[in-house]
Amino acid sequence: MELWFSERHTKNVQFSIRTDKQLFSAQSPFQRVDIFESVEFGRFLTLDGYMMLTEKDEFIYHEMIVHPAMAVNPDIENVLVIGAGDGGVARELTRYASVKTIDVVEIDEMVIDVCKKYLPQTARGFDDPRVSVLIQDGLKYIRSVEDRYDLIIVDSTDPFGPGEGLFTKEFYGNCFKALKDDGIMVNQHESPFYENDAIAMQRAHKRIVKCFPISRVYQAHIPTYPSGHWLFGFASKRYHPVGDLDEAKWNGLKLSTKYYNTKLHAGAFALPNYVWALLKDVE
Amino acid sequence: MELWFSERHTKNVQFSIRTDKQLFSAQSPFQRVDIFESVEFGRFLTLDGYMMLTEKDEFIYHEMIVHPAMAVNPDIENVLVIGAGDGGVARELTRYASVKTIDVVEIDEMVIDVCKKYLPQTARGFDDPRVSVLIQDGLKYIRSVEDRYDLIIVDSTDPFGPGEGLFTKEFYGNCFKALKDDGIMVNQHESPFYENDAIAMQRAHKRIVKCFPISRVYQAHIPTYPSGHWLFGFASKRYHPVGDLDEAKWNGLKLSTKYYNTKLHAGAFALPNYVWALLKDVE
């Protein structure tokens, strides 16, 4: 039997994965949730038909959304994670003994339940007692929070559907307010390559630049996302993402990582000229 | 009408591009040669059904296979290019006034003719009087050359079919011999992500390490190649690819590039841990 999952990266580009089985499929109040089994990527989660993570390459996304900020400020204690119902961000954060609280605010309980059942590789992030899960709209949650977090990680879906509000100026402004004086916000920033992704990336960057004094973008190779060239935003009240990197301290922690290292950290912020041009356009 | 070109990146992963028209298709003595027209990527060239280049993203590959070596040794004068029948490597090299001769050795004349007709964006590289084209097997050509080139660029197809010999120890040894005392060899090095590509990458790296005192690997985001995470090998008799980078001199040339810059140069050599591990395995 041939069973292929296909995602349109644009209306003219399609990426397809041979699957063994569809392990789960349901409509939550927010989105369609599916889990597939595949030979190439292991299990993978899709939301509304868009690839969220595969067992084979989720380590890249989760390491790169967590470790750069932790290496810039090793004193981070209180972290807010918005989205990330798969548990992968929490898993990486729990590796730091210095982290005291991790609040995960996920709008869709079904994502958490399904990941706990089918994707224990990421969902074990929820097992740590420092992790609190709040089933709530992150956009609303953040409105009432002030001066509480050292780090906010916005692990949103794409800027349409339930994740849409997480790309607005109101939301970024509230993140600023929820952060302490030396707070950092990291968000997934879409991709620079295909036109619609690049427009979303520029829109997010423009809004973040208006809210934070320091706002830089870094990149990673994530093969199962459109174009494989994925960006993250590093926004901060005080720390420079490269100048304030404490290489020795982070390396002293002896964390074993498969993608991230402190040399790559600086390299990830060295963007291609065409990406710089897209960012400069909106700064 | 729906007309899709599809390439299997592995037997379980497929990448498809909506095409408007097939502009050319023929069997040469070496391989099947096709040119397609598409909305997303402009025209693209495939050999034996494998993506070689698209008008949209070829700039990334061609800038990254040429400029890092030129920035490390700005005195490069005589260059050998093996493969590269599309002219893209020659085009980037001709931008340097200091380069005196560019010998392009391509086994398949049909590739050159077809690219001249359908892909003038890359094939204009052949128009410069410093470029000499030799229709010959690069593997044979290199055997008789000694101490002649400052730079050899191996723009091979994949390590099967006509490009197979360009991944052998004999070939790399002959490249070493054909280079001057401070010569540099750059080769396309496949990808670290999918298993078979990673094995080919390791095999090439192992052989190059045995032939050259300095052998490093660097990366670029090339969306239309498998996984989008593509590697290049930088092998050298004398120059270190990062330590000997002459940033000021290269920037003084005022070349306008869309991907490469000298900050990205250093970043491109900062590989993810899992790629380091694959390379260390065979060193």
Side-chain angles (χ1 to χ4, degrees):
Chain A
M1 191 186 74
E2 301 250 340
L3 180 66
W4 290 79
F5 163 83
S6 290
E7 179 181 340
R8 290 277 167 100
H9 285 176
T10 79
K11 68 180 185 175
N12 303 309
V13 179
Q14 182 166 285
F15 183 71
S16 306
I17 299 174
R18 187 197 296 270
T19 66
D20 278 348
K21 277 183 207 157
Q22 186 179 33
L23 299 178
F24 178 86
S25 183
Q27 183 73 35
S28 83
F30 302 98
Q31 54 205 341
R32 179 169 164 170
V33 180
D34 289 89
I35 300 271
F36 295 92
E37 177 86 47
S38 74
V39 170
E40 193 69 46
F41 297 102
R43 291 181 177 180
F44 61 93
L45 166 71
T46 66
L47 297 177
D48 285 339
Y50 292 97
M51 176 62 74
M52 291 296 121
L53 68 89
T54 81
E55 286 183 322
K56 183 178 163 84
D57 72 346
E58 59 84 10
F59 73 95
I60 303 171
Y61 181 84
H62 290 126
E63 289 187 12
M64 289 302 284
I65 205 168
V66 168
H67 300 306
M70 295 301 300
V72 165
N73 177 13
D75 297 324
I76 284 169
E77 292 185 346
N78 301 301
V79 185
L80 170 63
V81 185
I82 293 182
D86 54 74
V89 173
R91 180 194 66 202
E92 291 303 310
L93 286 166
T94 58
R95 303 178 69 193
Y96 293 86
S98 55
V99 168
K100 289 185 176 161
T101 66
I102 303 163
D103 296 339
V104 177
V105 179
E106 164 65 52
I107 199 169
D108 193 343
E109 191 163 20
M110 186 189 283
V111 173
I112 294 178
D113 293 342
V114 164
C115 291
K116 280 184 175 168
K117 182 162 180 194
Y118 294 102
L119 292 169
Q121 176 180 310
T122 52
R124 65 186 165 84
F126 294 125
D127 297 342
D128 191 287
R130 293 169 292 174
V131 177
S132 308
V133 177
L134 293 88
I135 304 300
Q136 203 177 324
D137 183 350
L139 189 60
K140 289 183 188 154
Y141 172 82
I142 197 84
R143 283 183 189 138
S144 62
V145 183
E146 265 181 63
D147 193 28
R148 190 184 308 169
Y149 294 107
D150 303 302
L151 171 64
I152 297 176
I153 294 179
V154 188
D155 182 10
S156 60
T157 52
D158 297 304
F160 40 80
E164 200 169 342
L166 305 181
F167 284 82
T168 59
K169 197 171 160 233
E170 186 221 336
F171 174 71
Y172 297 131
N174 284 331
C175 284
F176 184 89
K177 177 175 63 67
L179 285 167
K180 292 184 187 159
D181 283 350
D182 63 348
I184 297 170
M185 178 182 82
V186 175
N187 69 304
Q188 80 86 355
H189 217 80
E190 302 289 304
S191 163
F193 189 70
Y194 295 119
E195 192 180 4
N196 284 343
D197 298 335
I199 290 169
M201 182 273 278
Q202 285 184 300
R203 198 184 302 128
H205 187 65
K206 185 175 184 173
R207 290 166 181 171
I208 295 170
V209 164
K210 281 192 181 147
C211 294
F212 284 82
I214 297 164
S215 172
R216 296 297 172 102
V217 169
Y218 63 102
Q219 62 194 353
H221 292 89
I222 305 183
T224 55
Y225 284 176
S227 88
H229 188 174
W230 212 253
L231 302 179
F232 298 91
F234 179 108
S236 155
K237 296 190 182 186
R238 185 186 299 168
Y239 299 107
H240 188 279
V242 180
D244 289 317
L245 167 64
D246 194 336
E247 280 199 60
K249 192 153 183 184
W250 193 87
N251 288 315
L253 296 173
K254 306 273 181 209
L255 298 180
S256 163
T257 46
K258 285 193 284 181
Y259 192 89
Y260 178 81
N261 59 63
T262 52
K263 295 285 173 238
L264 179 143
H265 180 121
F269 285 90
L271 303 173
N273 283 352
Y274 87 93
V275 183
W276 282 123
L278 288 168
L279 296 171
K280 286 269 170 280
D281 244 15
V282 296
E283 279 180 6
Chain B
M1 190 187 72
E2 301 251 340
L3 181 66
W4 290 79
F5 163 82
S6 291
E7 179 180 340
R8 290 277 167 98
H9 285 176
T10 78
K11 67 181 184 174
N12 303 308
V13 179
Q14 183 167 284
F15 183 72
S16 305
I17 299 173
R18 188 198 296 270
T19 66
D20 279 346
K21 276 184 208 157
Q22 186 177 33
L23 299 178
F24 179 86
S25 184
Q27 182 74 34
S28 82
F30 302 98
Q31 54 205 340
R32 179 169 163 168
V33 180
D34 288 90
I35 300 270
F36 295 92
E37 178 87 49
S38 74
V39 170
E40 193 69 47
F41 297 103
R43 291 181 177 180
F44 60 93
L45 166 70
T46 66
L47 296 178
D48 285 338
Y50 292 98
M51 176 60 74
M52 291 297 119
L53 68 89
T54 81
E55 286 184 321
K56 182 177 165 84
D57 73 344
E58 59 84 8
F59 74 93
I60 304 172
Y61 181 84
H62 290 126
E63 289 188 11
M64 289 301 284
I65 205 167
V66 168
H67 300 307
M70 294 301 300
V72 165
N73 179 13
D75 297 323
I76 284 170
E77 292 185 346
N78 301 300
V79 185
L80 171 63
V81 184
I82 292 183
D86 54 74
V89 173
R91 180 193 67 200
E92 292 303 309
L93 286 166
T94 58
R95 303 177 69 193
Y96 293 86
S98 54
V99 168
K100 290 186 176 161
T101 66
I102 302 163
D103 296 339
V104 178
V105 179
E106 165 65 53
I107 199 170
D108 192 344
E109 191 163 20
M110 186 188 283
V111 173
I112 294 178
D113 293 342
V114 165
C115 291
K116 281 184 175 169
K117 182 161 180 194
Y118 294 102
L119 293 169
Q121 176 179 311
T122 51
R124 65 186 165 85
F126 293 125
D127 296 342
D128 191 286
R130 293 169 292 173
V131 177
S132 309
V133 176
L134 293 89
I135 305 299
Q136 201 176 327
D137 183 351
L139 189 61
K140 287 183 189 154
Y141 172 82
I142 197 83
R143 283 185 189 135
S144 61
V145 183
E146 265 182 64
D147 193 28
R148 188 183 309 169
Y149 293 107
D150 302 302
L151 171 64
I152 297 176
I153 293 179
V154 188
D155 182 10
S156 60
T157 52
D158 297 303
F160 40 81
E164 199 169 342
L166 305 181
F167 284 82
T168 59
K169 200 172 156 232
E170 187 221 334
F171 174 71
Y172 297 130
N174 284 332
C175 285
F176 184 90
K177 177 176 61 68
L179 285 167
K180 293 184 188 162
D181 282 350
D182 64 348
I184 297 170
M185 178 182 83
V186 175
N187 68 304
Q188 79 86 355
H189 217 80
E190 301 289 307
S191 164
F193 190 70
Y194 294 119
E195 192 181 5
N196 284 344
D197 298 337
I199 290 169
M201 181 272 278
Q202 286 184 299
R203 197 184 303 127
H205 187 65
K206 185 175 184 173
R207 290 166 181 169
I208 294 170
V209 164
K210 282 193 179 146
C211 294
F212 284 83
I214 297 164
S215 171
R216 295 297 172 103
V217 169
Y218 63 102
Q219 62 195 352
H221 291 89
I222 305 182
T224 54
Y225 284 175
S227 89
H229 189 175
W230 212 253
L231 303 178
F232 298 91
F234 179 107
S236 155
K237 295 190 181 187
R238 184 186 300 168
Y239 298 109
H240 187 279
V242 180
D244 289 316
L245 167 64
D246 194 335
E247 281 199 57
K249 191 153 184 183
W250 193 87
N251 288 315
L253 296 174
K254 306 270 182 213
L255 298 181
S256 163
T257 46
K258 286 193 284 182
Y259 192 90
Y260 179 81
N261 60 62
T262 52
K263 294 284 174 238
L264 179 142
H265 180 121
F269 284 91
L271 303 173
N273 283 352
Y274 88 93
V275 182
W276 282 124
L278 288 168
L279 296 170
K280 286 271 170 281
D281 245 15
V282 297
E283 279 179 5

